[in-house]
Amino acid sequence: MEHKRIVPLDGGYNCRDLGGYRASDGRRIKWGRLYRSGSLSYLSAKDQVEFVRRRVTVDCDLRSRNEQHNYPDKLWPGARQIDAHFYSESGQEEAEAEEAWRKGRKKLPHLPSYLGVIYQQNMLAPRTHEVMRLIFAEMLDLPEGEALLYHCSMGKDRTGMVSVMVLMALGLDDREIMRDYLLSRENPRTINEADIDDQLGRQIAKMNETQVSQTAFYGITETIRQMWGGFAGYFESLGFEPGDLDRLRDKFLE
């Protein structure tokens, strides 16, 4: 059976199947189990039927609460939406993120990249840990024959960060992960769902206009290695048991 990475949608954007990428142990990610995407706010009825056909039952929305409110996802039958807003928002989340960055930034290399620095900051933020714990827990609980999707507005930055961590979790090496990360260069269109009247919205809008790069990519992978000694240490820091990582890989690799 021939599989295609790009999921063609009438009203969707930058939707891709993560299947087929090879892990370091020689296994490959199963097709039809994990999807990454841009905005789902403009899906057609045909698009919704396509997600039903693919048995996508979990929709992890990485966008800010403002984006979720102003541009709600058009859900399809059987789908369960999860608020997985990726960036720290006002109040305690922002205070925790600033404190974590203050404590951890000296341990990280300087990156000459706007996105790279933003990625470093978010890798240290407690909110990011909460979101990744949530997504990995959903992956571990996902019934056989069903699929999980995560998305932001463009499917580039927040979705790209989550994809790097998901692919690291599944045991892919940097070169294979970067193949997926840099595919977003082929989708240069900008979808502005951010509220530019607030600081977070302006940051999101700027990131949407900034091209992904290898330097930005290392803002994720090297932060994990410098701060947690590798992905296994990061995964355990999220509260999972050591055997859960093997269980995750057995579930999504073949």
Side-chain angles (χ1 to χ4, degrees), residues 11-15 36-42 60-64 66-68 71 73 86-87 149-160 184 187 189-195 201 203-209:
Y13 174 71
N14 199 12
C15 186
R36 55 173 293 172
S37 183
S39 176
L40 303 179
S41 303
Y42 309 96
C60 296
D61 192 341
L62 307 175
R63 298 174 304 161
S64 69
N66 274 340
E67 291 170 292
Q68 293 174 8
Y71 302 91
D73 285 354
F86 193 77
Y87 294 145
L149 176 149
Y150 51 87
H151 79 95
C152 57
S153 57
M154 287 187 64
K156 178 175 76 75
D157 296 309
R158 288 163 287 187
T159 299
S184 291
N187 295 275
R189 188 168 136 223
T190 295
I191 293 181
N192 183 16
E193 296 181 341
D195 181 357
Q203 175 183 301
I204 292 170
K206 182 175 180 179
M207 293 178 73
N208 284 343
E209 296 171 358

Side-chain angles (χ1 to χ4, degrees), residues 7-109:
V7 178
L9 298 171
D10 295 330
Y13 174 71
N14 199 12
C15 186
R16 311 193 315 245
D17 190 330
L18 290 177
Y21 288 122
R22 186 183 294 277
S24 298
D25 65 4
R27 292 184 290 177
R28 291 184 181 272
I29 299 176
K30 296 176 182 177
W31 289 94
R33 294 281 275 157
L34 294 170
Y35 294 91
R36 55 173 293 172
S37 183
S39 176
L40 303 179
S41 303
Y42 309 96
L43 296 179
S44 67
K46 181 181 175 183
D47 296 336
Q48 293 171 311
V49 169
E50 180 65 16
F51 282 133
V52 171
R53 186 187 72 80
R54 291 173 181 264
R55 301 197 65 187
V56 180
T57 58
V58 181
D59 166 22
C60 296
D61 192 341
L62 307 175
R63 298 174 304 161
S64 69
R65 291 191 177 103
N66 274 340
E67 291 170 292
Q68 293 174 8
H69 175 75
N70 294 329
Y71 302 91
D73 285 354
K74 287 190 174 179
L75 289 181
W76 49 96
R80 175 168 54 91
Q81 185 179 21
I82 295 172
D83 172 18
H85 66 276
F86 193 77
Y87 294 145
S88 305
E89 300 194 10
S90 60
Q92 183 178 352
E93 287 182 357
E94 281 191 339
E96 291 174 342
E98 290 173 3
E99 178 64 12
W101 178 239
R102 184 187 66 81
K103 290 181 177 179
R105 63 187 302 178
K106 293 181 180 178
K107 299 179 183 179
L108 300 175

